[in-house]
Amino acid sequence: HDLESSENEIKSKIELIGVPSGVGQAKHVSRILSNLIDNSEIGNPNEAINTAIVLPDENLLLPVLYSIPNEIGKINVTMGYSLSHSSVAGLVEHISLLQQNLRKWNNEIAFYHRFVKAILNHPLIILSAKKEADELKEHIIKYNRVVVPVSEIIDNPLLRLIFTPITVWKDITSYLHEILSFLYNILTEINYSGEAVEEKRNSNNSDLEREFIVQYYKTITSLGDRLGDVTAMSVDTYFRLLRKLARGISVPFSGEPLSGLQVMGVLETRT
């Protein structure tokens, strides 16, 4: 009897696929989901409640989210993600290198071209000020600028905020707060306008980016409060402390588990 019942049980189908890189894994997840949709194994892509993506490495979260097919309507993320690996943390890192390497050019403060271009090529900047960023990159190439003086920064509110020379560490908190607030508002506008932007394929990604910005904003505020009584400190030291603080912060995501494609870490599968 036991043998007969076990033969009638539906056996799990497990397929192992060797993929050499994290980005490759994310792209392959996209192909698997598309095949499941095409074969009607995901009957309602707008919900996809019976399908889960389990990530053994939290760093795969953003590549996977950006690779999910457009047919998938709702995505529910339940896992933690290191703040230091977020897109906004990458931008702040570029900004810190920009400010730590200020130059002089014709009696004017200037920025080293490598760090200027790194910022102009960042996804959040492309999303917010693509036209002006492209113009400034063309200007740097056309005039073979090794350094870019403040006077040659194109008149755009976000670029003007970022390319403001900072020489006193106490100015950094308000400087970064203004930049992050501007980016948050841009993402909010995109989220509610319904614009089809290549870098932000759906509102789920925009929501995650905004959450990262909020958490980084809070981290900057926390650091500012802790350093309230400090008098003498360099800009370099401030950014080094901020980097170390961000490394220890994990952003928790806990969405609605009864709706949408489920994306989670290994630990979250236990519950």
Side-chain angles (χ1 to χ4, degrees):
H1 176 73
D2 291 337
L3 180 61
E4 182 181 350
S5 62
S6 64
E7 288 177 351
N8 293 330
E9 289 178 2
I10 298 174
K11 294 182 179 179
S12 299
K13 177 186 175 184
I14 300 174
E15 181 181 4
L16 303 180
I17 303 166
V19 184
S21 69
V23 173
Q25 290 181 50
K27 290 181 178 178
H28 200 79
V29 165
S30 177
R31 287 194 288 271
I32 291 172
L33 289 172
S34 294
N35 288 336
L36 291 173
I37 293 170
D38 293 341
N39 297 331
S40 299
E41 292 181 64
I42 296 180
N44 182 4
N46 193 48
E47 290 294 339
I49 185 64
N50 293 322
T51 303
I53 300 172
V54 181
L55 303 177
D57 181 356
E58 67 173 21
N59 295 329
L60 293 173
L61 177 61
L62 293 185
V64 163
L65 289 180
Y66 288 125
S67 299
I68 288 175
N70 290 327
E71 294 93 329
I72 300 292
K74 298 176 184 176
I75 303 171
N76 176 67
V77 178
T78 308
M79 63 185 297
Y81 190 81
S82 174
L83 183 60
S84 63
H85 294 142
S86 65
S87 181
V88 66
L91 177 60
V92 172
E93 180 64 20
H94 292 323
I95 289 173
S96 72
L97 292 171
L98 180 86
Q99 297 294 351
Q100 291 172 62
N101 291 277
L102 296 178
R103 310 292 173 92
K104 278 282 188 178
W105 188 79
N106 286 351
N107 295 319
E108 185 180 1
I109 293 180
F111 306 100
Y112 188 50
H113 75 99
R114 183 193 302 168
F115 306 123
V116 174
K117 287 187 283 192
I119 289 171
L120 297 178
N121 288 324
H122 191 277
L124 287 174
I125 303 304
I126 293 172
L127 181 69
S128 309
K130 185 178 189 307
K131 179 175 176 291
E132 292 84 353
D134 288 342
E135 287 179 14
L136 185 51
K137 282 188 284 185
E138 290 172 7
H139 174 84
I140 293 171
I141 294 170
K142 180 179 179 181
Y143 294 99
N144 196 27
R145 287 282 186 260
V146 175
V147 294
V148 183
V150 173
S151 60
E152 293 184 3
I153 299 299
I154 290 176
D155 192 17
N156 170 274
L158 178 58
L159 297 186
R160 284 291 179 192
L161 279 176
I162 292 174
F163 294 104
T164 298
I166 300 295
T167 54
V168 180
W169 77 267
K170 284 186 177 291
D171 295 336
I172 302 176
T173 297
S174 60
Y175 164 73
L176 291 177
H177 274 170
E178 287 183 25
I179 293 170
L180 297 186
S181 295
F182 192 97
L183 290 171
Y184 183 91
N185 291 334
I186 288 289
L187 287 174
T188 302
E189 289 175 14
I190 290 171
N191 198 31
Y192 288 103
S193 67
E195 293 178 17
V197 181
E198 184 177 351
E199 289 81 6
K200 296 283 172 282
R201 301 184 67 176
N202 54 53
S203 62
N204 293 289
N205 297 338
S206 179
D207 288 341
L208 290 180
E209 293 288 5
R210 287 192 299 165
E211 183 61 27
F212 290 137
I213 289 174
V214 168
Q215 292 298 329
Y216 215 103
Y217 190 102
K218 290 179 179 178
T219 302
I220 293 164
T221 301
S222 175
L223 181 58
D225 292 342
R226 296 183 192 189
L227 298 175
D229 297 329
V230 176
T231 53
M233 187 171 67
S234 67
V235 170
D236 293 23
T237 300
Y238 176 95
F239 279 116
R240 194 158 55 247
L241 291 172
L242 179 60
R243 194 178 300 120
K244 179 177 273 190
L245 191 58
R247 280 199 204 107
I249 295 175
S250 179
V251 181
F253 294 108
S254 54
E256 171 53 59
L258 302 179
S259 177
L261 175 71
Q262 306 294 300
V263 179
M264 64 187 72
V266 176
L267 292 177
E268 285 74 18
T269 62
R270 297 184 302 174
T271 55

